[in-house]
Amino acid sequence: MHNDIHNYLTKYRDQHLNELTEWLSIPSVSSLSEHKEDTLRGAEWIADSLKKIGMENIKLHPTKGHPVVYADWIHAENKPTVLIYGHYDVQPVDPLHLWETAPFEPTIRDNKIFARGATDDKGQFFMHLKAIEALMNIHGELPVNVKFLIEGEEEIGSVNLPAFVEENQELLASDVILISDTGMQEKGRPAICYGLRGLAGVQIDVKGAKGDLHSGLYGGGVQNALHALVQLLESFRDDNGVIQVKRFYDKVEALSDEEKAAYNALNFSEDGLKEELTVEELVGEEGYTYIERTWVRPTLEINGMWGGFQGEGIKTVLPNEAHAKITCRLVPNQDPDEIVELLTKHVNAHTPPGVTVTVTPFDKGAPYVTPYSHPAIQAAGRSYEKVYGVPTQFIRGGGSIPIVATFDQILQKPIVLMGFGLPGENFHAPNEHFHLENFDQGLRVIANYLSELPQTFSK
Amino acid sequence: MHNDIHNYLTKYRDQHLNELTEWLSIPSVSSLSEHKEDTLRGAEWIADSLKKIGMENIKLHPTKGHPVVYADWIHAENKPTVLIYGHYDVQPVDPLHLWETAPFEPTIRDNKIFARGATDDKGQFFMHLKAIEALMNIHGELPVNVKFLIEGEEEIGSVNLPAFVEENQELLASDVILISDTGMQEKGRPAICYGLRGLAGVQIDVKGAKGDLHSGLYGGGVQNALHALVQLLESFRDDNGVIQVKRFYDKVEALSDEEKAAYNALNFSEDGLKEELTVEELVGEEGYTYIERTWVRPTLEINGMWGGFQGEGIKTVLPNEAHAKITCRLVPNQDPDEIVELLTKHVNAHTPPGVTVTVTPFDKGAPYVTPYSHPAIQAAGRSYEKVYGVPTQFIRGGGSIPIVATFDQILQKPIVLMGFGLPGENFHAPNEHFHLENFDQGLRVIANYLSELPQTFSK
């Protein structure tokens, strides 16, 4: 069978890439209201593609936001059921001028496909469609039962999916949940991520005088909203990168010696990363390695900040408004709601005189860790190894897929995070791209995994 | 003569306001290249108006930037010559959404005219045109010789005017320099400003990794350009508002007891200002009153700041670029060039790890103070008093008119800052406006002053 899959995928590679290009061309930016229709087009494109590969019961379930796409094929009697999750929405594209080619005009250069969503998550999710298409066309049936769940709000915190999952537990019943929305540590080294950080954040809006003031007439006499914001933002962390929000670290577990040793054994190259990012130094919380800081330590980052005059030249204004967006990455036991509460308290306790500050929470996601000894996860490791020819790494990820924690809590089934992204592929940034070698090998990994799963569950 | 002037100005008031409206409609924003043509139109409008009131030798002198407009009338033999300075350029208008009516569609509400430039400086300068028109039409000649010098780069630091003044000292030769580009302390209380703060500033551009990064994958591990900027900006001042730039205060003179007493005698109402600005507190350098902080103490203010995601909702990005514009108001003896050097050294000494920072100086202006006992200045005080009916205050101003220091250094003649603006008229801010009662009274003050000047100089 291995050969049949290989031949099929080789034969249809160009067609598959054409289809991927078509999908990546849809600007389904879920966070921007001007892309509402485009985001719906993303959902419709997926529904249509699911139909073409023989899926059934296809439906766009409306939500308060963007619809959830469901489909299934459940004719593999007495075989396990796999729930495959993905998202059809993508991040905004600004700053647009830094893209070498337009974000929604996919371009292949150097065996990489460049487009917003290339890895996160359209490209990765698309592989599941095509692996299943291959199995279906070769065998006329699938080795397992398959259910698809694709949402359009992952990039805005999966606002409406938890309620959908809660209300549709029967529809979504499965033995294992399979997600490709993470990455490997390095080229040619497959990795399965068994832990993800959570997310909590707020927008901070500072308001000073009733309007902008002349910095000559009032400067030195009246609070400047930008200075107040700077003072407030600076209070969040000390010079060693330690977050100063009271009780922020209370529930964070110390790193075990075993984990420390395992991470050190990965031989992660900080120098390689510095070179890749073109920075002189990697900077973060004192006393932790880069891997520890990005996998198992919580963070607080300013994602955006603005106020006053941003145009060309000089404008001697004393601005009366200033704004910032901050988000925290959370580790196990930290509760996003509690963190938002602590952040709000911190802002209130540190608001400089002469301004008022409003705090607005963003959508949240809980952190997640699963035991990687589970047979369904170990089987995924073997499928990777067969295709890539090297042992699979078991790692944790710094990012957040809020829905993973929700699946864990509501559906209580093992979750396999089968990621094919690579560091440096610019998720959420300009020039996002996906290495096509991982597209090719990933298709084979997925097909192998679905084929092997019945054995794993019958053991 | 007083009555003739009064009657003339009353008769032609509507026509004058129509002309002012026409002028305020020209978006002569000198700092924005998209308004280059509009700024030229501002110069042409003024040249045309000077011609209509009988001025001669009218010329638009080209510079590397916007042209300087010159005109004169020098037929008052053995009478003093007054050089009247003004500027036809205005500040940018953003944030546009905060304007109640469009900035370049002048609107009169509640006896105030609302438009960008209404006080700073189109409205104020326009009064000189109309006062001279009145004198000319009533008497067929002027009581003094008059020279006009109107530039189009005041809002961008008068970049090209010093060279023009230097090269045209003979053309500009005069006995007194008259400028209306400042304000009174309160409604109904005329004031003459005898000191102005200088200006020096820089743009700070922070650059981190080669591109924006995903805050989940890299967050906690790599320097965030916004955090680096916040840290840098926060290092400029301590929590008491004291500027931390080394040697910044070295040349600042302590306030004399006499000055302290004079400022206290003004009975400035901090409560009134708080109410006007709708702020709970007035904030600034510890140990100084509001008047002291805004008149005789130097400042450092962030005028603009930006980086990362500013759109709707959330984008979990770790930004690699951050920007800020800061300007300092300077007091006598502080040298703008030296201050820029100190600011640059401070930035270099406080650059956080993992980023590079570029410092770009803005155009500068020296501070200025003149003895207010000069007869030409005292005469101005009397003219105010005659029209307003109350004694004139002699004050200092927090703002900068860089060219004032230049006039002082090159032309070495007394400078009369005859301001008619009011606090709260939103210079440089949305909803800039000018109280028409000061327009009406100011016209009479100027006409009276020009008429009285010959006596002053013959004394």
Side-chain angles (χ1 to χ4, degrees), chain A residues 115-303:
Chain A
R116 171 58 83 230
T119 24
D120 179 13
D121 177 46
K122 284 177 169 175
Q124 291 205 59
F125 175 73
F126 179 77
M127 292 154 66
H128 290 268
L129 294 181
K130 297 299 123 177
I132 284 171
E133 176 193 295
L135 290 168
M136 191 71 105
N137 282 344
I138 292 167
H139 305 292
E141 60 175 9
L142 296 179
V144 287
N145 297 297
V146 166
K147 295 180 175 181
F148 277 99
L149 175 65
I150 311 107
E151 69 159 319
E153 299 185 317
E154 198 275 339
E155 300 295 2
I156 49 172
S158 299
V159 232
N160 293 300
L161 196 59
F164 180 83
V165 174
E166 188 74 48
E167 287 159 19
N168 292 278
Q169 295 186 44
E170 205 175 320
L171 182 72
L172 302 174
S174 66
D175 299 292
V176 59
I177 300 164
L178 181 59
I179 304 177
S180 296
D181 195 20
T182 50
M184 308 192 267
Q185 277 308 98
E186 53 181 301
K187 230 173 157 166
R189 276 305 290 266
I192 289 179
C193 178
Y194 65 93
L196 288 167
R197 293 195 286 190
L199 186 71
V202 295
Q203 175 151 336
I204 297 173
D205 298 299
V206 177
K207 180 84 168 52
K210 63 169 182 180
D212 280 349
L213 301 174
H214 187 298
S215 81
L217 299 182
Y218 297 94
V222 177
Q223 180 65 278
N224 176 328
L226 292 180
H227 276 281
L229 180 63
V230 161
Q231 201 174 321
L232 188 55
L233 292 173
E234 181 64 2
S235 74
F236 277 113
R237 309 200 303 200
D238 70 10
D239 287 353
N240 298 322
V242 180
I243 296 162
Q244 301 296 299
V245 175
K246 266 187 199 160
R247 296 178 42 221
F248 185 84
Y249 292 106
D250 277 10
K251 296 184 177 169
V252 178
E253 279 174 17
L255 199 59
S256 71
D257 289 344
E258 189 197 348
E259 274 177 306
K260 261 191 181 293
Y263 297 157
N264 286 337
L266 291 173
N267 276 322
F268 175 77
S269 162
E270 296 206 355
D271 283 340
L273 182 64
K274 282 192 261 186
E275 202 175 310
E276 184 202 321
L277 300 179
T278 67
V279 293
E280 293 282 322
E281 275 179 76
L282 296 175
V283 178
E285 190 185 4
E286 209 175 28
Y288 295 92
T289 66
Y290 176 83
I291 288 288
E292 290 163 1
R293 295 200 306 265
T294 52
W295 287 5
V296 296
R297 295 296 298 171
T299 66
L300 184 152
E301 299 283 348
I302 311 172
N303 307 114

Side-chain angles (χ1 to χ4, degrees), chain B residues 413-427:
Chain B
K413 293 293 168 186
I415 300 168
V416 178
L417 296 177
M418 187 176 267
F420 298 102
L422 276 182
E425 288 187 329
N426 299 330
F427 328 143

